[in-house]
Amino acid sequence: MPDTTSTPKRLADVPLSVLDLAPIVSGSTASDALRHSLDLARHAEEWGYKRYWLAEHHNMPGIASSATSVVIGHIAAGTNSIRVGSGGIMLPNHAPLVIAEQFGTLESLFPGRIDLGLGRAPGSDQPAARALRRGLTSDGQNFPEQVAELREYFHPSPDAIHTPGNVRAIPGEGLDIPIWLLGSSGFSAQLAAQLGLPFAFASHFAPDYLLPALDLYRSNFRPSDALEKPHVMVGMNAIVADTDYEAQRLATSLYQTFLNIIRGRTGKLLPPVDVEAMDGLWTAQEQFHLRHMLQYAVIGSPDTVRARMASILEETQADELIVAAQIYDHEARLKSYRLLSELVK
């Protein structure tokens, strides 16, 4: 539970960041999605967002950020000051050395601007996980060992550096790249606490364990060279428009995406429909399940969203908030992020 003895946080005091899946919308291409991501990142930098994170997903026709490190370089090269990173890299899909070298390269190109968020889920289905990992022997259970190996590449012991045959990450070695652990359960919360690392929770799609995970993280946190006290980022879906109805209409694209996930389908981001038309697309049970999954979504006019975000902040006492906005029309997506940046100030 949040620490009620501390001073309550205000929205204006909490950094706001962007979580981008580089959505490929119906009728468009990955090239369009990546161009729109850079445009959004440039605007987010102008509007005062702190971080711009990209998520690793595979075998999904509607997401263009699968080569996450490459896209991070694309975004960082096209911006000037906003921090750019992964939300996250799914470490079981990769050799830790490869990630150390990739992010060492990014940090060398864009010093002081790169974040490395790590998750232990595959970010894909089983066939894609098998193709990525050349098998399914890595199921995330060795995630703590992978994190330790990755951190060792960045900061090896002096003895290791001079040991013949020792593998070194160049670029990477000696660089201070902030590492975050990401999660939707208690596993990464516990590990982040033990290692003294910042923790980001994926409440934008897995809300049920949010408060228990934050409590687990905070109550077990051990100070480290990286962090003196717990630091939490909470993820949420946020769609802002001039009116509640228009925001709900824009959100029907997100609803259709989640509905397809419930039904085991994948596809590009679909255009919005009239709010009333959703009644013909989902069953009552599917609607209930979807509403439950999106219980930490904030959708509405600026006043509606401000009140709901303030309530979530009071409930979680988050140190940062990161927002995903799956909106079909690029200009409407830009407007949503602009309105959001204005309402929290």
Side-chain angles (χ1 to χ4, degrees):
M1 298 295 291
D3 181 5
T4 56
T5 63
S6 61
T7 303
K9 293 183 173 71
R10 303 180 307 157
L11 281 177
D13 299 327
V14 176
L16 196 61
S17 297
V18 175
L19 176 61
D20 183 14
L21 277 65
I24 306 173
V25 306
S26 178
S28 75
T29 65
S31 179
D32 297 322
L34 295 170
R35 186 174 65 253
H36 288 158
S37 287
L38 180 55
D39 187 49
L40 174 58
R42 287 170 170 163
H43 281 90
E45 183 173 77
E46 175 187 345
W47 296 328
Y49 285 86
K50 184 174 183 176
R51 310 178 195 275
Y52 196 97
W53 282 7
L54 295 128
E56 177 187 347
H57 291 278
H58 301 279
N59 201 27
M60 294 187 177
I63 296 177
S65 55
S66 55
T68 314
S69 299
V70 177
V71 184
I72 289 171
H74 169 63
I75 299 298
T79 52
N80 297 303
S81 59
I82 194 168
R83 298 193 64 89
V84 188
S86 57
I89 290 288
M90 300 298 105
L91 193 54
N93 293 340
H94 310 277
L97 174 62
V98 171
I99 299 305
E101 291 173 338
Q102 289 178 358
F103 277 78
T105 301
L106 288 167
E107 177 65 20
S108 298
L109 289 168
F110 312 104
R113 293 183 56 204
I114 301 300
D115 295 327
L116 176 50
L118 300 171
R120 72 182 187 100
S124 62
D125 54 22
Q126 288 238 333
R130 185 176 291 107
L132 285 161
R133 304 174 187 183
R134 315 311 299 171
L136 288 176
T137 55
S138 177
D139 60 0
Q141 293 304 309
N142 64 339
F143 183 62
E145 290 76 18
Q146 288 187 300
V147 172
E149 181 183 344
L150 176 60
R151 298 180 78 197
E152 178 69 18
Y153 286 127
F154 288 131
H155 298 289
S157 65
D159 290 341
I161 291 175
H162 300 292
T163 300
N166 186 62
V167 178
R168 301 167 65 180
I170 310 295
E173 187 176 292
L175 297 180
D176 289 318
I177 302 170
I179 292 178
W180 292 68
L181 295 193
L182 284 53
S184 56
S185 68
F187 189 102
S188 290
Q190 183 74 44
L191 183 60
Q194 292 174 352
L195 299 178
L197 295 175
F199 176 61
F201 191 87
S203 40
H204 58 293
F205 68 83
D208 287 339
Y209 206 73
L210 170 61
L211 297 181
L214 298 189
D215 181 51
L216 184 65
Y217 170 68
R218 288 170 171 142
S219 61
N220 290 279
F221 184 83
R222 301 174 185 172
S224 68
D225 292 339
L227 203 59
E228 292 183 356
K229 59 183 181 179
H231 191 90
V232 165
M233 179 187 287
V234 169
M236 63 178 67
N237 294 286
I239 296 177
V240 193
D242 291 329
T243 66
D244 287 341
Y245 184 87
E246 175 59 15
Q248 287 291 341
R249 190 188 72 83
L250 294 174
T252 60
S253 295
L254 175 65
Y255 297 159
Q256 292 176 82
T257 295
F258 272 82
L259 187 59
N260 282 334
I261 291 173
I262 292 171
R263 294 174 176 176
R265 303 172 184 169
T266 60
K268 294 183 178 182
L269 187 67
L270 295 171
V273 297
D274 290 338
V275 176
E276 297 79 9
M278 287 302 302
D279 289 337
L281 297 178
W282 55 25
T283 67
Q285 184 177 8
E286 287 172 334
Q287 181 183 12
F288 176 82
H289 184 47
L290 190 147
R291 297 290 187 190
H292 179 77
M293 291 172 68
L294 294 174
Q295 62 185 282
Y296 284 103
V298 287
I299 299 168
S301 67
D303 287 343
T304 297
V305 169
R306 183 187 297 109
R308 179 60 181 142
M309 287 186 72
S311 174
I312 292 172
L313 184 59
E314 181 181 8
E315 185 177 20
T316 63
Q317 288 297 293
D319 301 291
E320 300 190 33
L321 299 172
I322 189 165
V323 171
Q326 295 290 84
I327 298 175
Y328 179 84
D329 179 74
H330 180 59
E331 292 303 318
R333 191 175 184 223
L334 290 178
K335 182 175 180 179
S336 177
Y337 275 109
R338 176 178 60 80
L339 291 174
L340 185 63
S341 71
E342 292 171 353
L343 70 86
V344 301
K345 293 178 181 176

